[in-house]
């Protein structure tokens, strides 16, 4: 599941995103954010984080620098 | 605005294309899963050979009786006392099903017909049984009631039940129309839907059901047996699916006992008002696909607008305007942000000079700056992501909406079809044998819009790419929209023109400053 989503996101970034004008208000962009957060948190949690991000990505929010938070490692 | 619109179009169209490819390839698409997994072993009955071709064409002395209501023209046929053909007068259309409501145990029974003011009564009697089929017809709506009374004169009813055929024949117009045809069965918890032409001979659904029906793009035939049906069976003969309802057996009865089966039928257009009027949940037949709820909402908005304009074309123009207005707060907000942006320009220049080599760091710093001042040059992902469920929902709603059938507007004869301004004598490649003006207009407006937005762009992506886009995008979209219903193209055209005009005004005011 996770790999399928990541494959989809990568091919979107590779083939579709590049011919489109930039529109995201954030850095990293929503699709980069999606890729990172799903990689880090898995399809479900990462997907929810992405959803939250996309909802914030409109003219009424500030946008700007908003990276995926580092997952706290439990093995010290 | 334009940029976002374009992106939205691409994504929507891509999704649409993929969706329809998947739908046409992978039918049957079961929208909701059949929850009953047990398989009933049906009692022995006539072998498939006798069940097939329920209505044998070689029966020579077939008798036809025509009855008209204000909405329907129904041709009944005998032997069998079934409905042979139906014409929908209001829509000037032949109904897509033929050979309705024949029961398996009366195929060769020669009934006597008797007309009353509101019904037609067929009676049959032999040594063993008496069958009365009473069809009650109504003016002003599309429902029919069938009451079938059987009396076993020897007191011996057959051990097995009987089947009631919904149809003997499906009239197919084109392969394109086939994918709109569905069989739907309302089970206690779910509604099972299957592509009609993907069905194979066998039991489609076992267990109780509330109603079962068949629909094409615009019309539907639904049967609700008052005593619960036991299952729905399909027989496919020469590519023709024939659907029948399995009905309960009566067991042993005394000669006086009348076995009465009542059926409420709907035979007409798929519109919510008509279907819901019967209070049998028939409105659930109306299903527009994945974004069903949005489709239904958009359709009710469209119907409301029709109440204002009394013309579907006008309603669609208004609808495009409304969607544009709905996006307006976002646009305004974006415009203000743009103005404040210009005040920040010196700071950005300074950053650019300082972090010349490190583009990643530069991006990050610029974004940080935007965030501090709460401005942003870009509209964001949500507005454009929001547009494509809406567009797909609208597409699906308009594809099935009966109201548009035959509705004219300006030079468009039928909003549910391409506008077909000029018919060509010969078939041309790609274009086909008609010239549609609306998609060409839409293409042109897109082209102009691209030109306008190109002059506003401050060279963020390469100019070459931009030029290429300005030519290819309208071409691709013109082709994709070419054979779509005129209503949909009209909507896109209006929306595109409005956002183009707005952009142009914005540009002019900026230049004035």
């Amino acid at each position: 599941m996770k790999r399928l989503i990541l494959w989809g996101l990568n091919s979107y970034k590779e083939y579709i995103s590049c011919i489109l004008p930039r529109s995201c208000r954030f850095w990293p962009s929503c699709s980069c954010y999606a890729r990172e957060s799903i990689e880090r948190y898995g399809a479900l949690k990462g997907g929810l984080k992405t959803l939250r991000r996309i909802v914030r990505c409109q003219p009424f929010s500030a946008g700007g620098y908003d990276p995926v938070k580092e997952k706290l490692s439990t093995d010290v | 605005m334009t940029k976002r619109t374009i992106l939205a179009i691409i994504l929507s169209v891509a999704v649409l294309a993929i969706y329809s490819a998947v739908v046409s390839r992978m039918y049957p698409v079961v929208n909701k899963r059949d929850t009953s997994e047990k398989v009933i072993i049906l009692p022995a009955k006539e072998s498939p050979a006798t069940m097939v071709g329920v209505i044998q064409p070689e029966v020579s002395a077939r008798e036809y009786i025509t009855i008209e209501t204000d909405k329907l023209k129904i041709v009944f046929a005998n032997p069998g006392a079934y409905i042979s053909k139906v014409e929908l007068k209001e829509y000037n259309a032949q109904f897509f099903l033929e050979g309705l409501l024949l029961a398996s145990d009366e195929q060769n029974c020669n009934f006597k017909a008797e007309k009353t003011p509101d019904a037609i009564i067929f009676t049959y009697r032999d040594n063993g049984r008496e069958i009365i089929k009473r069809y009650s017809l109504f003016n002003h709506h599309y429902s029919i009631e069938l009451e079938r009374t059987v009396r076993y004169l020897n007191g011996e009813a057959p051990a097995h039940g009987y089947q009631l055929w919904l149809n003997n024949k499906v009239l197919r117009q084109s392969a394109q129309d086939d994918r709109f045809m569905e069989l739907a069965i309302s089970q206690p918890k779910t509604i099972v839907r299957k592509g009609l032409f993907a069905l194979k001979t066998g039991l489609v659904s076992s267990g109780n059901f509330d109603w079962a029906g068949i629909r094409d793009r615009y019309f539907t035939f639904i049967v609700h047996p008052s005593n619960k049906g036991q299952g729905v069976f399909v027989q496919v003969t020469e590519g023709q699916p024939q659907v029948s309802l399995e009905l309960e057996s009566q067991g042993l009865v005394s000669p006086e006992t009348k076995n009465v089966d009542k059926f409420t039928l709907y035979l007409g257009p798929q519109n919510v008002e008509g279907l819901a009027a019967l209070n049998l949940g028939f409105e659930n037949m109306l299903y527009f696909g994945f974004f069903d709820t949005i489709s239904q909402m958009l359709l009710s908005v469209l119907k409301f607008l029709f109440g204002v304009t009394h013309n579907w074309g006008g309603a669609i123009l208004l609808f495009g305007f409304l969607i544009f207005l709905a996006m307006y707060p976002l646009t305004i907000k974006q415009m203000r942000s743009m103005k404040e942006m210009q005040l920040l320009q010196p700071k950005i220049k300074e950053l650019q000079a300082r972090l010349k080599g490190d583009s990643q760091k530069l991006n990050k710093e610029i974004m940080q700056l935007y965030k501090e001042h709460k401005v942003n040059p870009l509209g964001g992902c949500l507005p454009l992501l929001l547009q494509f469920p809406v567009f797909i929902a609208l597409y699906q709603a308009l594809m099935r909406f009966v109201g548009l059938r035959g509705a004219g507007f300006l030079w468009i004869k039928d909003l549910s079809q391409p506008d077909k301004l000029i018919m060509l004598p010969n078939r041309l490649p790609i274009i086909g044998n008609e010239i549609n003006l609306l998609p060409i207009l839409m293409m042109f407006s897109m082209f102009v819009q691209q030109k306008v937005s190109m002059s506003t762009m401050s060279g963020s992506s390469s100019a070459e790419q931009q030029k290429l886009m300005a030519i290819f995008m309208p071409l691709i979209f013109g082709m994709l929209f070419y054979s779509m219903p005129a209503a949909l193209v009209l909507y896109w055209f209006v929306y595109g023109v409005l956002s183009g005009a707005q952009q142009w005004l914005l540009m002019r005011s900026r230049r004035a400053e």
Side-chain angles (χ1 to χ4, degrees), chain B residues 51-62:
Chain B
M51 282 157 42
V52 180
V54 199
I55 297 157
Q56 277 105 10
E58 58 269 22
V59 175
S60 52
R62 180 157 288 142

PDB file of all heavy atoms in Angstrom, chain B residues 51-62:
ATOM      1  N   MET B  51     -36.889 -21.540 -20.990  1.00  0.00           N
ATOM      2  CA  MET B  51     -36.961 -20.227 -20.366  1.00  0.00           C
ATOM      3  C   MET B  51     -36.443 -19.154 -21.314  1.00  0.00           C
ATOM      4  O   MET B  51     -36.907 -18.039 -21.324  1.00  0.00           O
ATOM      5  CB  MET B  51     -36.121 -20.194 -19.105  1.00  0.00           C
ATOM      6  CG  MET B  51     -36.793 -20.862 -17.934  1.00  0.00           C
ATOM      7  SD  MET B  51     -35.632 -21.403 -16.712  1.00  0.00           S
ATOM      8  CE  MET B  51     -34.514 -20.043 -16.649  1.00  0.00           C
ATOM      9  N   VAL B  52     -35.457 -19.565 -22.102  1.00  0.00           N
ATOM     10  CA  VAL B  52     -34.853 -18.609 -23.021  1.00  0.00           C
ATOM     11  C   VAL B  52     -35.860 -18.187 -24.075  1.00  0.00           C
ATOM     12  O   VAL B  52     -36.734 -18.951 -24.450  1.00  0.00           O
ATOM     13  CB  VAL B  52     -33.648 -19.244 -23.732  1.00  0.00           C
ATOM     14  CG1 VAL B  52     -33.039 -18.229 -24.679  1.00  0.00           C
ATOM     15  CG2 VAL B  52     -32.647 -19.714 -22.731  1.00  0.00           C
ATOM     16  N   GLY B  53     -35.668 -16.983 -24.524  1.00  0.00           N
ATOM     17  CA  GLY B  53     -36.527 -16.492 -25.596  1.00  0.00           C
ATOM     18  C   GLY B  53     -37.949 -16.616 -25.139  1.00  0.00           C
ATOM     19  O   GLY B  53     -38.788 -17.235 -25.790  1.00  0.00           O
ATOM     20  N   VAL B  54     -38.158 -16.079 -23.961  1.00  0.00           N
ATOM     21  CA  VAL B  54     -39.440 -16.240 -23.294  1.00  0.00           C
ATOM     22  C   VAL B  54     -40.567 -16.048 -24.287  1.00  0.00           C
ATOM     23  O   VAL B  54     -41.546 -16.772 -24.309  1.00  0.00           O
ATOM     24  CB  VAL B  54     -39.577 -15.191 -22.186  1.00  0.00           C
ATOM     25  CG1 VAL B  54     -40.620 -15.616 -21.226  1.00  0.00           C
ATOM     26  CG2 VAL B  54     -38.250 -14.950 -21.532  1.00  0.00           C
ATOM     27  N   ILE B  55     -40.392 -15.031 -25.071  1.00  0.00           N
ATOM     28  CA  ILE B  55     -41.439 -14.760 -26.036  1.00  0.00           C
ATOM     29  C   ILE B  55     -40.972 -15.337 -27.363  1.00  0.00           C
ATOM     30  O   ILE B  55     -40.058 -14.831 -27.990  1.00  0.00           O
ATOM     31  CB  ILE B  55     -41.682 -13.249 -26.151  1.00  0.00           C
ATOM     32  CG1 ILE B  55     -42.168 -12.743 -24.809  1.00  0.00           C
ATOM     33  CG2 ILE B  55     -42.671 -12.939 -27.248  1.00  0.00           C
ATOM     34  CD1 ILE B  55     -41.944 -11.291 -24.578  1.00  0.00           C
ATOM     35  N   GLN B  56     -41.554 -16.445 -27.733  1.00  0.00           N
ATOM     36  CA  GLN B  56     -41.122 -17.069 -28.978  1.00  0.00           C
ATOM     37  C   GLN B  56     -41.664 -16.302 -30.175  1.00  0.00           C
ATOM     38  O   GLN B  56     -42.851 -16.033 -30.247  1.00  0.00           O
ATOM     39  CB  GLN B  56     -41.593 -18.526 -29.048  1.00  0.00           C
ATOM     40  CG  GLN B  56     -40.684 -19.493 -28.317  1.00  0.00           C
ATOM     41  CD  GLN B  56     -41.261 -19.971 -27.006  1.00  0.00           C
ATOM     42  OE1 GLN B  56     -42.423 -19.712 -26.732  1.00  0.00           O
ATOM     43  NE2 GLN B  56     -40.448 -20.641 -26.219  1.00  0.00           N
ATOM     44  N   PRO B  57     -40.793 -15.966 -31.074  1.00  0.00           N
ATOM     45  CA  PRO B  57     -41.229 -15.155 -32.207  1.00  0.00           C
ATOM     46  C   PRO B  57     -42.160 -15.924 -33.151  1.00  0.00           C
ATOM     47  O   PRO B  57     -42.951 -15.327 -33.853  1.00  0.00           O
ATOM     48  CB  PRO B  57     -39.925 -14.780 -32.917  1.00  0.00           C
ATOM     49  CG  PRO B  57     -38.931 -15.787 -32.457  1.00  0.00           C
ATOM     50  CD  PRO B  57     -39.360 -16.234 -31.116  1.00  0.00           C
ATOM     51  N   GLU B  58     -42.063 -17.290 -33.117  1.00  0.00           N
ATOM     52  CA  GLU B  58     -42.847 -18.020 -34.121  1.00  0.00           C
ATOM     53  C   GLU B  58     -44.334 -18.130 -33.792  1.00  0.00           C
ATOM     54  O   GLU B  58     -45.115 -18.629 -34.586  1.00  0.00           O
ATOM     55  CB  GLU B  58     -42.241 -19.421 -34.374  1.00  0.00           C
ATOM     56  CG  GLU B  58     -42.133 -20.308 -33.174  1.00  0.00           C
ATOM     57  CD  GLU B  58     -40.772 -20.137 -32.488  1.00  0.00           C
ATOM     58  OE1 GLU B  58     -40.135 -19.096 -32.676  1.00  0.00           O
ATOM     59  OE2 GLU B  58     -40.367 -21.046 -31.763  1.00  0.00           O
ATOM     60  N   VAL B  59     -44.679 -17.703 -32.576  1.00  0.00           N
ATOM     61  CA  VAL B  59     -46.116 -17.719 -32.273  1.00  0.00           C
ATOM     62  C   VAL B  59     -46.813 -16.822 -33.305  1.00  0.00           C
ATOM     63  O   VAL B  59     -46.558 -15.637 -33.398  1.00  0.00           O
ATOM     64  CB  VAL B  59     -46.388 -17.204 -30.848  1.00  0.00           C
ATOM     65  CG1 VAL B  59     -47.875 -17.101 -30.588  1.00  0.00           C
ATOM     66  CG2 VAL B  59     -45.736 -18.112 -29.836  1.00  0.00           C
ATOM     67  N   SER B  60     -47.672 -17.441 -34.067  1.00  0.00           N
ATOM     68  CA  SER B  60     -48.203 -16.716 -35.225  1.00  0.00           C
ATOM     69  C   SER B  60     -49.314 -15.749 -34.844  1.00  0.00           C
ATOM     70  O   SER B  60     -49.252 -14.557 -35.146  1.00  0.00           O
ATOM     71  CB  SER B  60     -48.720 -17.724 -36.257  1.00  0.00           C
ATOM     72  OG  SER B  60     -49.615 -18.620 -35.606  1.00  0.00           O
ATOM     73  N   ALA B  61     -50.270 -16.250 -34.129  1.00  0.00           N
ATOM     74  CA  ALA B  61     -51.433 -15.413 -33.871  1.00  0.00           C
ATOM     75  C   ALA B  61     -51.230 -14.587 -32.615  1.00  0.00           C
ATOM     76  O   ALA B  61     -51.857 -14.813 -31.594  1.00  0.00           O
ATOM     77  CB  ALA B  61     -52.678 -16.278 -33.731  1.00  0.00           C
ATOM     78  N   ARG B  62     -50.298 -13.633 -32.679  1.00  0.00           N
ATOM     79  CA  ARG B  62     -50.115 -12.784 -31.512  1.00  0.00           C
ATOM     80  C   ARG B  62     -51.019 -11.570 -31.642  1.00  0.00           C
ATOM     81  O   ARG B  62     -51.136 -10.965 -32.698  1.00  0.00           O
ATOM     82  CB  ARG B  62     -48.658 -12.354 -31.386  1.00  0.00           C
ATOM     83  CG  ARG B  62     -48.422 -11.469 -30.170  1.00  0.00           C
ATOM     84  CD  ARG B  62     -47.001 -11.487 -29.727  1.00  0.00           C
ATOM     85  NE  ARG B  62     -46.670 -12.758 -29.112  1.00  0.00           N
ATOM     86  CZ  ARG B  62     -45.508 -13.370 -29.255  1.00  0.00           C
ATOM     87  NH1 ARG B  62     -44.590 -12.841 -29.991  1.00  0.00           N
ATOM     88  NH2 ARG B  62     -45.266 -14.514 -28.647  1.00  0.00           N
TER      89      ARG B  62
END
